[in-house]
Amino acid sequence: MYSVDIETLGLESNAVILSAAIIHFDLEKDAFVTFEELIQRSLTVKISVMPQVAGPKGRQIDKSTVDWWGKQSPEARKTSFETSSTDLMPQDAIVLLRDYIETYSNDEDIFWARGGFDQMILDSFCRSFKQLPLAKYWQWRDFRTAIDLLAGNKAIDKTAQATIPGFDVSKVTKHVPSHDAAYDLLQLLSRKEPF
């Protein structure tokens, strides 16, 4: 299984992707994994914006999302928003993500994300660069729904953030994709109740 998170410059399927993180996990073996261990095993790619917007069918940038990035933490902006000389070409980012998946892959893999947003944009992103999506539509699952069901709506706020006993949430920098992917995964793993 994989936990996936992306950061974008918009809310539509054709939005520019700034960065993406993926973390492989095993529900049985990783029952007691730490946040730090998940971050260490994650892969984060930061993607160059200009090749995504080039041409008449280029991916889109939403001004309100750009403005929103200006209000995020310095670490989140550095990880995703600010241009760097090490930003990857889109095709290279797709190859790295696919290589990471293939390291652990089997045909029954499940990909977890927070809602359908990441799946929709990642699929469109891959197709924009004439690549197959990273996963089939039926392989995706939603963290929010699983966390809500497993917690029975107890200890969850309106954004589906579950309380994790003993976890220091200040370790999580929101909108750093590896942090978001790891935190969502820990919330899922911390739920003990069956569906």
Tab-separated table of all heavy atoms in Angstrom, residues 52-109:
chain	number	residue	atom	x	y	z
A	52	GLN	N	5.206	22.608	-17.316
A	52	GLN	CA	3.805	22.211	-17.159
A	52	GLN	C	2.840	23.215	-17.798
A	52	GLN	O	1.768	22.837	-18.252
A	52	GLN	CB	3.445	22.070	-15.674
A	52	GLN	CG	4.177	20.950	-14.975
A	52	GLN	CD	3.712	20.793	-13.552
A	52	GLN	OE1	2.548	20.487	-13.303
A	52	GLN	NE2	4.625	21.004	-12.610
A	53	VAL	N	3.221	24.477	-17.813
A	53	VAL	CA	2.306	25.503	-18.339
A	53	VAL	C	2.564	25.826	-19.808
A	53	VAL	O	1.778	26.533	-20.431
A	53	VAL	CB	2.352	26.801	-17.492
A	53	VAL	CG1	1.903	26.518	-16.067
A	53	VAL	CG2	3.732	27.439	-17.506
A	54	ALA	N	3.658	25.318	-20.352
A	54	ALA	CA	4.021	25.620	-21.744
A	54	ALA	C	2.999	25.050	-22.721
A	54	ALA	O	2.426	23.982	-22.493
A	54	ALA	CB	5.410	25.062	-22.044
A	55	GLY	N	2.774	25.773	-23.788
A	55	GLY	CA	1.911	25.291	-24.862
A	55	GLY	C	0.445	25.635	-24.646
A	55	GLY	O	0.030	26.034	-23.561
A	56	PRO	N	-0.341	25.480	-25.702
A	56	PRO	CA	-1.755	25.876	-25.649
A	56	PRO	C	-2.600	25.012	-24.708
A	56	PRO	O	-3.639	25.452	-24.245
A	56	PRO	CB	-2.227	25.716	-27.100
A	56	PRO	CG	-1.270	24.763	-27.724
A	56	PRO	CD	0.038	24.968	-27.017
A	57	LYS	N	-2.179	23.798	-24.430
A	57	LYS	CA	-2.926	22.922	-23.519
A	57	LYS	C	-2.213	22.767	-22.189
A	57	LYS	O	-2.369	21.769	-21.501
A	57	LYS	CB	-3.142	21.555	-24.164
A	57	LYS	CG	-4.040	21.603	-25.382
A	57	LYS	CD	-4.310	20.229	-25.900
A	57	LYS	CE	-5.229	20.317	-27.108
A	57	LYS	NZ	-5.551	19.006	-27.645
A	58	GLY	N	-1.437	23.783	-21.821
A	58	GLY	CA	-0.649	23.714	-20.593
A	58	GLY	C	-1.514	23.599	-19.355
A	58	GLY	O	-2.683	23.977	-19.344
A	59	ARG	N	-0.911	23.086	-18.294
A	59	ARG	CA	-1.604	22.960	-17.020
A	59	ARG	C	-1.798	24.348	-16.415
A	59	ARG	O	-1.072	25.277	-16.733
A	59	ARG	CB	-0.832	22.005	-16.115
A	59	ARG	CG	-0.697	20.621	-16.801
A	59	ARG	CD	-0.114	19.578	-15.924
A	59	ARG	NE	-0.980	19.275	-14.788
A	59	ARG	CZ	-2.090	18.521	-14.855
A	59	ARG	NH1	-2.487	18.010	-15.999
A	59	ARG	NH2	-2.800	18.284	-13.768
A	60	GLN	N	-2.768	24.474	-15.541
A	60	GLN	CA	-3.234	25.793	-15.110
A	60	GLN	C	-2.745	26.193	-13.720
A	60	GLN	O	-2.507	25.354	-12.861
A	60	GLN	CB	-4.759	25.821	-15.129
A	60	GLN	CG	-5.354	25.540	-16.501
A	60	GLN	CD	-4.902	26.540	-17.542
A	60	GLN	OE1	-5.128	27.740	-17.375
A	60	GLN	NE2	-4.259	26.074	-18.591
A	61	ILE	N	-2.625	27.525	-13.550
A	61	ILE	CA	-2.274	28.142	-12.273
A	61	ILE	C	-3.440	29.021	-11.854
A	61	ILE	O	-3.907	29.858	-12.624
A	61	ILE	CB	-0.992	28.985	-12.394
A	61	ILE	CG1	0.195	28.100	-12.758
A	61	ILE	CG2	-0.727	29.750	-11.104
A	61	ILE	CD1	1.473	28.864	-13.068
A	62	ASP	N	-3.900	28.833	-10.626
A	62	ASP	CA	-5.000	29.615	-10.075
A	62	ASP	C	-4.423	30.702	-9.173
A	62	ASP	O	-3.674	30.398	-8.240
A	62	ASP	CB	-5.924	28.683	-9.279
A	62	ASP	CG	-7.040	29.434	-8.600
A	62	ASP	OD1	-7.892	29.983	-9.317
A	62	ASP	OD2	-7.042	29.474	-7.343
A	63	LYS	N	-4.760	31.961	-9.451
A	63	LYS	CA	-4.191	33.071	-8.696
A	63	LYS	C	-4.498	32.980	-7.202
A	63	LYS	O	-3.640	33.262	-6.363
A	63	LYS	CB	-4.680	34.415	-9.243
A	63	LYS	CG	-4.031	35.594	-8.530
A	63	LYS	CD	-4.583	36.914	-8.972
A	63	LYS	CE	-3.977	38.095	-8.263
A	63	LYS	NZ	-3.689	37.951	-6.857
A	64	SER	N	-5.709	32.576	-6.855
A	64	SER	CA	-6.047	32.493	-5.429
A	64	SER	C	-5.206	31.428	-4.716
A	64	SER	O	-4.877	31.578	-3.540
A	64	SER	CB	-7.541	32.232	-5.229
A	64	SER	OG	-7.901	30.978	-5.746
A	65	THR	N	-4.829	30.371	-5.431
A	65	THR	CA	-3.965	29.344	-4.834
A	65	THR	C	-2.550	29.885	-4.662
A	65	THR	O	-1.900	29.625	-3.645
A	65	THR	CB	-3.969	28.060	-5.686
A	65	THR	OG1	-5.312	27.622	-5.860
A	65	THR	CG2	-3.157	26.955	-5.020
A	66	VAL	N	-2.081	30.663	-5.626
A	66	VAL	CA	-0.764	31.310	-5.491
A	66	VAL	C	-0.772	32.228	-4.274
A	66	VAL	O	0.165	32.212	-3.460
A	66	VAL	CB	-0.395	32.088	-6.775
A	66	VAL	CG1	0.877	32.898	-6.567
A	66	VAL	CG2	-0.229	31.128	-7.949
A	67	ASP	N	-1.838	33.010	-4.117
A	67	ASP	CA	-1.957	33.897	-2.948
A	67	ASP	C	-1.976	33.087	-1.648
A	67	ASP	O	-1.352	33.467	-0.656
A	67	ASP	CB	-3.223	34.746	-3.047
A	67	ASP	CG	-3.176	35.744	-4.200
A	67	ASP	OD1	-2.064	36.020	-4.720
A	67	ASP	OD2	-4.250	36.227	-4.593
A	68	TRP	N	-2.688	31.960	-1.663
A	68	TRP	CA	-2.762	31.088	-0.493
A	68	TRP	C	-1.370	30.580	-0.111
A	68	TRP	O	-1.031	30.530	1.080
A	68	TRP	CB	-3.709	29.922	-0.815
A	68	TRP	CG	-3.799	28.867	0.223
A	68	TRP	CD1	-4.627	28.842	1.309
A	68	TRP	CD2	-3.025	27.662	0.276
A	68	TRP	NE1	-4.420	27.690	2.028
A	68	TRP	CE2	-3.446	26.948	1.417
A	68	TRP	CE3	-2.035	27.105	-0.534
A	68	TRP	CZ2	-2.900	25.724	1.771
A	68	TRP	CZ3	-1.495	25.884	-0.177
A	68	TRP	CH2	-1.927	25.210	0.956
A	69	TRP	N	-0.546	30.219	-1.098
A	69	TRP	CA	0.807	29.759	-0.805
A	69	TRP	C	1.614	30.821	-0.072
A	69	TRP	O	2.460	30.504	0.764
A	69	TRP	CB	1.532	29.326	-2.080
A	69	TRP	CG	1.279	27.887	-2.396
A	69	TRP	CD1	0.500	27.398	-3.406
A	69	TRP	CD2	1.789	26.760	-1.697
A	69	TRP	NE1	0.487	26.029	-3.360
A	69	TRP	CE2	1.277	25.603	-2.323
A	69	TRP	CE3	2.630	26.593	-0.598
A	69	TRP	CZ2	1.573	24.317	-1.883
A	69	TRP	CZ3	2.932	25.313	-0.165
A	69	TRP	CH2	2.411	24.197	-0.808
A	70	GLY	N	1.363	32.093	-0.356
A	70	GLY	CA	2.066	33.172	0.326
A	70	GLY	C	1.802	33.219	1.816
A	70	GLY	O	2.554	33.833	2.576
A	71	LYS	N	0.738	32.560	2.270
A	71	LYS	CA	0.370	32.543	3.689
A	71	LYS	C	0.803	31.269	4.401
A	71	LYS	O	0.525	31.099	5.582
A	71	LYS	CB	-1.153	32.699	3.818
A	71	LYS	CG	-1.665	34.000	3.240
A	71	LYS	CD	-3.170	34.020	3.219
A	71	LYS	CE	-3.652	35.239	2.444
A	71	LYS	NZ	-5.065	35.136	2.114
A	72	GLN	N	1.475	30.374	3.701
A	72	GLN	CA	1.880	29.105	4.303
A	72	GLN	C	3.244	29.235	4.982
A	72	GLN	O	3.954	30.217	4.804
A	72	GLN	CB	1.875	28.000	3.247
A	72	GLN	CG	0.535	27.799	2.574
A	72	GLN	CD	-0.619	27.737	3.557
A	72	GLN	OE1	-0.628	26.913	4.469
A	72	GLN	NE2	-1.604	28.614	3.389
A	73	SER	N	3.602	28.225	5.743
A	73	SER	CA	4.855	28.257	6.509
A	73	SER	C	6.059	28.334	5.575
A	73	SER	O	6.006	27.875	4.426
A	73	SER	CB	4.976	27.002	7.379
A	73	SER	OG	5.245	25.870	6.567
A	74	PRO	N	7.172	28.899	6.063
A	74	PRO	CA	8.391	28.941	5.242
A	74	PRO	C	8.833	27.545	4.782
A	74	PRO	O	9.267	27.379	3.646
A	74	PRO	CB	9.428	29.567	6.174
A	74	PRO	CG	8.621	30.385	7.135
A	74	PRO	CD	7.343	29.612	7.340
A	75	GLU	N	8.708	26.540	5.650
A	75	GLU	CA	9.127	25.186	5.267
A	75	GLU	C	8.245	24.644	4.139
A	75	GLU	O	8.743	24.039	3.189
A	75	GLU	CB	9.089	24.241	6.462
A	75	GLU	CG	9.628	22.866	6.118
A	75	GLU	CD	9.658	21.905	7.290
A	75	GLU	OE1	9.418	22.315	8.434
A	75	GLU	OE2	9.930	20.716	7.041
A	76	ALA	N	6.938	24.860	4.238
A	76	ALA	CA	6.028	24.388	3.184
A	76	ALA	C	6.324	25.102	1.867
A	76	ALA	O	6.368	24.471	0.808
A	76	ALA	CB	4.575	24.595	3.592
A	77	ARG	N	6.545	26.405	1.918
A	77	ARG	CA	6.848	27.155	0.685
A	77	ARG	C	8.164	26.681	0.078
A	77	ARG	O	8.261	26.503	-1.138
A	77	ARG	CB	6.889	28.659	0.967
A	77	ARG	CG	5.508	29.262	1.179
A	77	ARG	CD	5.510	30.776	1.097
A	77	ARG	NE	6.559	31.423	1.849
A	77	ARG	CZ	6.459	31.841	3.111
A	77	ARG	NH1	5.343	31.658	3.775
A	77	ARG	NH2	7.461	32.433	3.705
A	78	LYS	N	9.174	26.443	0.927
A	78	LYS	CA	10.470	25.986	0.406
A	78	LYS	C	10.347	24.596	-0.214
A	78	LYS	O	10.918	24.322	-1.268
A	78	LYS	CB	11.506	25.969	1.527
A	78	LYS	CG	12.874	25.524	1.055
A	78	LYS	CD	13.887	25.547	2.165
A	78	LYS	CE	15.242	25.100	1.626
A	78	LYS	NZ	16.250	24.993	2.661
A	79	THR	N	9.607	23.710	0.430
A	79	THR	CA	9.469	22.336	-0.045
A	79	THR	C	8.714	22.254	-1.359
A	79	THR	O	9.039	21.421	-2.205
A	79	THR	CB	8.746	21.481	1.016
A	79	THR	OG1	9.502	21.519	2.222
A	79	THR	CG2	8.593	20.039	0.561
A	80	SER	N	7.722	23.113	-1.546
A	80	SER	CA	6.862	22.978	-2.726
A	80	SER	C	6.803	24.204	-3.621
A	80	SER	O	6.910	24.083	-4.830
A	80	SER	CB	5.429	22.632	-2.281
A	80	SER	OG	5.392	21.390	-1.650
A	81	PHE	N	6.622	25.365	-3.062
A	81	PHE	CA	6.264	26.548	-3.846
A	81	PHE	C	7.447	27.274	-4.485
A	81	PHE	O	7.364	27.718	-5.629
A	81	PHE	CB	5.465	27.511	-2.960
A	81	PHE	CG	4.966	28.724	-3.673
A	81	PHE	CD1	3.944	28.621	-4.594
A	81	PHE	CD2	5.515	29.967	-3.421
A	81	PHE	CE1	3.461	29.743	-5.268
A	81	PHE	CE2	5.054	31.091	-4.080
A	81	PHE	CZ	4.027	30.975	-5.002
A	82	GLU	N	8.533	27.420	-3.760
A	82	GLU	CA	9.668	28.208	-4.263
A	82	GLU	C	10.460	27.426	-5.311
A	82	GLU	O	10.769	26.254	-5.124
A	82	GLU	CB	10.577	28.620	-3.101
A	82	GLU	CG	9.871	29.561	-2.140
A	82	GLU	CD	10.660	29.837	-0.877
A	82	GLU	OE1	11.808	29.346	-0.741
A	82	GLU	OE2	10.117	30.540	-0.009
A	83	THR	N	10.799	28.095	-6.391
A	83	THR	CA	11.554	27.467	-7.473
A	83	THR	C	12.960	27.121	-7.002
A	83	THR	O	13.589	27.870	-6.262
A	83	THR	CB	11.631	28.430	-8.680
A	83	THR	OG1	10.303	28.737	-9.079
A	83	THR	CG2	12.373	27.818	-9.835
A	84	SER	N	13.447	25.975	-7.471
A	84	SER	CA	14.781	25.507	-7.108
A	84	SER	C	15.480	24.972	-8.355
A	84	SER	O	14.829	24.482	-9.282
A	84	SER	CB	14.652	24.391	-6.064
A	84	SER	OG	15.856	23.686	-5.953
A	85	SER	N	16.789	25.030	-8.362
A	85	SER	CA	17.553	24.507	-9.503
A	85	SER	C	17.456	22.981	-9.591
A	85	SER	O	17.810	22.399	-10.609
A	85	SER	CB	19.020	24.926	-9.394
A	85	SER	OG	19.586	24.381	-8.215
A	86	THR	N	16.982	22.340	-8.541
A	86	THR	CA	16.850	20.883	-8.549
A	86	THR	C	15.432	20.416	-8.899
A	86	THR	O	15.157	19.212	-8.859
A	86	THR	CB	17.259	20.281	-7.182
A	86	THR	OG1	16.414	20.838	-6.166
A	86	THR	CG2	18.719	20.583	-6.874
A	87	ASP	N	14.537	21.348	-9.241
A	87	ASP	CA	13.183	20.962	-9.650
A	87	ASP	C	13.276	20.024	-10.855
A	87	ASP	O	14.093	20.232	-11.764
A	87	ASP	CB	12.351	22.185	-10.025
A	87	ASP	CG	12.001	23.050	-8.819
A	87	ASP	OD1	12.344	22.673	-7.687
A	87	ASP	OD2	11.393	24.115	-9.031
A	88	LEU	N	12.435	19.002	-10.848
A	88	LEU	CA	12.467	17.982	-11.897
A	88	LEU	C	11.563	18.325	-13.069
A	88	LEU	O	10.512	18.956	-12.884
A	88	LEU	CB	12.010	16.637	-11.322
A	88	LEU	CG	12.871	16.047	-10.219
A	88	LEU	CD1	12.164	14.860	-9.576
A	88	LEU	CD2	14.215	15.618	-10.776
A	89	MET	N	11.946	17.863	-14.239
A	89	MET	CA	11.038	17.911	-15.376
A	89	MET	C	9.873	16.978	-15.062
A	89	MET	O	10.053	15.956	-14.386
A	89	MET	CB	11.752	17.463	-16.655
A	89	MET	CG	12.875	18.389	-17.081
A	89	MET	SD	12.260	20.045	-17.484
A	89	MET	CE	11.432	19.712	-19.030
A	90	PRO	N	8.663	17.298	-15.522
A	90	PRO	CA	7.506	16.458	-15.196
A	90	PRO	C	7.697	14.975	-15.526
A	90	PRO	O	7.381	14.106	-14.695
A	90	PRO	CB	6.380	17.078	-16.024
A	90	PRO	CG	6.775	18.512	-16.160
A	90	PRO	CD	8.273	18.486	-16.273
A	91	GLN	N	8.243	14.695	-16.706
A	91	GLN	CA	8.437	13.295	-17.098
A	91	GLN	C	9.383	12.572	-16.141
A	91	GLN	O	9.184	11.404	-15.822
A	91	GLN	CB	8.972	13.199	-18.534
A	91	GLN	CG	8.039	13.761	-19.574
A	91	GLN	CD	8.258	15.252	-19.846
A	91	GLN	OE1	8.662	16.029	-18.982
A	91	GLN	NE2	7.952	15.663	-21.071
A	92	ASP	N	10.428	13.267	-15.684
A	92	ASP	CA	11.383	12.669	-14.756
A	92	ASP	C	10.740	12.401	-13.394
A	92	ASP	O	11.030	11.383	-12.754
A	92	ASP	CB	12.618	13.560	-14.589
A	92	ASP	CG	13.419	13.688	-15.876
A	92	ASP	OD1	13.337	12.776	-16.733
A	92	ASP	OD2	14.117	14.710	-16.038
A	93	ALA	N	9.878	13.306	-12.957
A	93	ALA	CA	9.165	13.108	-11.692
A	93	ALA	C	8.267	11.874	-11.777
A	93	ALA	O	8.218	11.061	-10.841
A	93	ALA	CB	8.344	14.350	-11.350
A	94	ILE	N	7.572	11.717	-12.899
A	94	ILE	CA	6.698	10.551	-13.090
A	94	ILE	C	7.525	9.265	-13.047
A	94	ILE	O	7.143	8.282	-12.408
A	94	ILE	CB	5.910	10.666	-14.411
A	94	ILE	CG1	4.913	11.829	-14.337
A	94	ILE	CG2	5.186	9.352	-14.734
A	94	ILE	CD1	4.313	12.232	-15.674
A	95	VAL	N	8.680	9.262	-13.713
A	95	VAL	CA	9.551	8.076	-13.724
A	95	VAL	C	10.004	7.731	-12.304
A	95	VAL	O	9.971	6.561	-11.897
A	95	VAL	CB	10.764	8.287	-14.659
A	95	VAL	CG1	11.825	7.218	-14.440
A	95	VAL	CG2	10.313	8.302	-16.114
A	96	LEU	N	10.411	8.734	-11.522
A	96	LEU	CA	10.861	8.468	-10.155
A	96	LEU	C	9.728	7.906	-9.294
A	96	LEU	O	9.937	6.959	-8.524
A	96	LEU	CB	11.419	9.738	-9.513
A	96	LEU	CG	12.815	10.142	-9.951
A	96	LEU	CD1	13.203	11.481	-9.324
A	96	LEU	CD2	13.829	9.082	-9.563
A	97	LEU	N	8.541	8.485	-9.417
A	97	LEU	CA	7.393	7.974	-8.661
A	97	LEU	C	7.070	6.538	-9.079
A	97	LEU	O	6.846	5.666	-8.228
A	97	LEU	CB	6.177	8.878	-8.857
A	97	LEU	CG	6.269	10.262	-8.216
A	97	LEU	CD1	5.182	11.189	-8.754
A	97	LEU	CD2	6.199	10.169	-6.691
A	98	ARG	N	7.076	6.294	-10.377
A	98	ARG	CA	6.778	4.947	-10.881
A	98	ARG	C	7.850	3.943	-10.424
A	98	ARG	O	7.536	2.829	-10.027
A	98	ARG	CB	6.666	4.962	-12.405
A	98	ARG	CG	5.985	3.716	-12.968
A	98	ARG	CD	5.753	3.796	-14.450
A	98	ARG	NE	5.085	4.965	-14.950
A	98	ARG	CZ	3.761	5.192	-14.866
A	98	ARG	NH1	2.987	4.321	-14.288
A	98	ARG	NH2	3.238	6.296	-15.371
A	99	ASP	N	9.121	4.347	-10.455
A	99	ASP	CA	10.201	3.464	-9.993
A	99	ASP	C	10.030	3.123	-8.505
A	99	ASP	O	10.247	1.980	-8.099
A	99	ASP	CB	11.574	4.105	-10.218
A	99	ASP	CG	11.996	4.112	-11.681
A	99	ASP	OD1	11.326	3.450	-12.508
A	99	ASP	OD2	12.993	4.797	-11.991
A	100	TYR	N	9.660	4.117	-7.702
A	100	TYR	CA	9.432	3.873	-6.277
A	100	TYR	C	8.315	2.844	-6.100
A	100	TYR	O	8.443	1.889	-5.325
A	100	TYR	CB	9.067	5.186	-5.579
A	100	TYR	CG	8.830	5.054	-4.091
A	100	TYR	CD1	9.857	5.263	-3.181
A	100	TYR	CD2	7.579	4.728	-3.587
A	100	TYR	CE1	9.646	5.142	-1.814
A	100	TYR	CE2	7.350	4.602	-2.225
A	100	TYR	CZ	8.390	4.821	-1.341
A	100	TYR	OH	8.174	4.697	0.007
A	101	ILE	N	7.221	3.029	-6.828
A	101	ILE	CA	6.085	2.099	-6.748
A	101	ILE	C	6.513	0.702	-7.171
A	101	ILE	O	6.190	-0.289	-6.502
A	101	ILE	CB	4.915	2.613	-7.617
A	101	ILE	CG1	4.332	3.898	-7.013
A	101	ILE	CG2	3.839	1.541	-7.786
A	101	ILE	CD1	3.432	4.680	-7.960
A	102	GLU	N	7.252	0.608	-8.249
A	102	GLU	CA	7.650	-0.707	-8.769
A	102	GLU	C	8.630	-1.435	-7.848
A	102	GLU	O	8.757	-2.655	-7.916
A	102	GLU	CB	8.197	-0.565	-10.184
A	102	GLU	CG	7.083	-0.236	-11.170
A	102	GLU	CD	7.570	0.017	-12.585
A	102	GLU	OE1	8.786	-0.080	-12.840
A	102	GLU	OE2	6.709	0.331	-13.430
A	103	THR	N	9.293	-0.708	-6.967
A	103	THR	CA	10.175	-1.336	-5.988
A	103	THR	C	9.399	-2.293	-5.094
A	103	THR	O	9.915	-3.329	-4.676
A	103	THR	CB	10.858	-0.256	-5.112
A	103	THR	OG1	11.625	0.592	-5.961
A	103	THR	CG2	11.754	-0.869	-4.051
A	104	TYR	N	8.132	-1.954	-4.794
A	104	TYR	CA	7.320	-2.735	-3.864
A	104	TYR	C	6.109	-3.372	-4.532
A	104	TYR	O	5.376	-4.129	-3.915
A	104	TYR	CB	6.780	-1.818	-2.757
A	104	TYR	CG	7.840	-1.039	-2.042
A	104	TYR	CD1	8.112	0.276	-2.399
A	104	TYR	CD2	8.573	-1.616	-1.015
A	104	TYR	CE1	9.082	1.007	-1.730
A	104	TYR	CE2	9.551	-0.899	-0.346
A	104	TYR	CZ	9.797	0.412	-0.711
A	104	TYR	OH	10.764	1.131	-0.060
A	105	SER	N	5.863	-3.063	-5.763
A	105	SER	CA	4.574	-3.251	-6.405
A	105	SER	C	4.115	-4.689	-6.580
A	105	SER	O	4.893	-5.605	-6.749
A	105	SER	CB	4.606	-2.587	-7.775
A	105	SER	OG	3.338	-2.619	-8.362
A	106	ASN	N	2.781	-4.800	-6.561
A	106	ASN	CA	2.078	-5.961	-7.082
A	106	ASN	C	0.765	-5.439	-7.679
A	106	ASN	O	0.408	-4.280	-7.479
A	106	ASN	CB	1.856	-7.038	-6.013
A	106	ASN	CG	0.915	-6.583	-4.926
A	106	ASN	OD1	-0.208	-6.191	-5.200
A	106	ASN	ND2	1.373	-6.631	-3.678
A	107	ASP	N	0.062	-6.257	-8.412
A	107	ASP	CA	-1.132	-5.790	-9.121
A	107	ASP	C	-2.291	-5.419	-8.203
A	107	ASP	O	-3.281	-4.867	-8.651
A	107	ASP	CB	-1.601	-6.854	-10.124
A	107	ASP	CG	-0.648	-6.982	-11.298
A	107	ASP	OD1	0.086	-6.008	-11.561
A	107	ASP	OD2	-0.639	-8.042	-11.937
A	108	GLU	N	-2.177	-5.735	-6.939
A	108	GLU	CA	-3.278	-5.481	-6.003
A	108	GLU	C	-2.988	-4.285	-5.100
A	108	GLU	O	-3.675	-4.098	-4.099
A	108	GLU	CB	-3.505	-6.725	-5.158
A	108	GLU	CG	-3.567	-7.974	-5.990
A	108	GLU	CD	-4.952	-8.560	-6.077
A	108	GLU	OE1	-5.739	-8.332	-5.166
A	108	GLU	OE2	-5.225	-9.237	-7.067
A	109	ASP	N	-1.989	-3.485	-5.392
A	109	ASP	CA	-1.634	-2.357	-4.541
A	109	ASP	C	-2.804	-1.404	-4.354
A	109	ASP	O	-3.603	-1.183	-5.265
A	109	ASP	CB	-0.461	-1.573	-5.145
A	109	ASP	CG	0.867	-2.258	-4.914
A	109	ASP	OD1	1.002	-2.970	-3.910
A	109	ASP	OD2	1.761	-2.081	-5.749
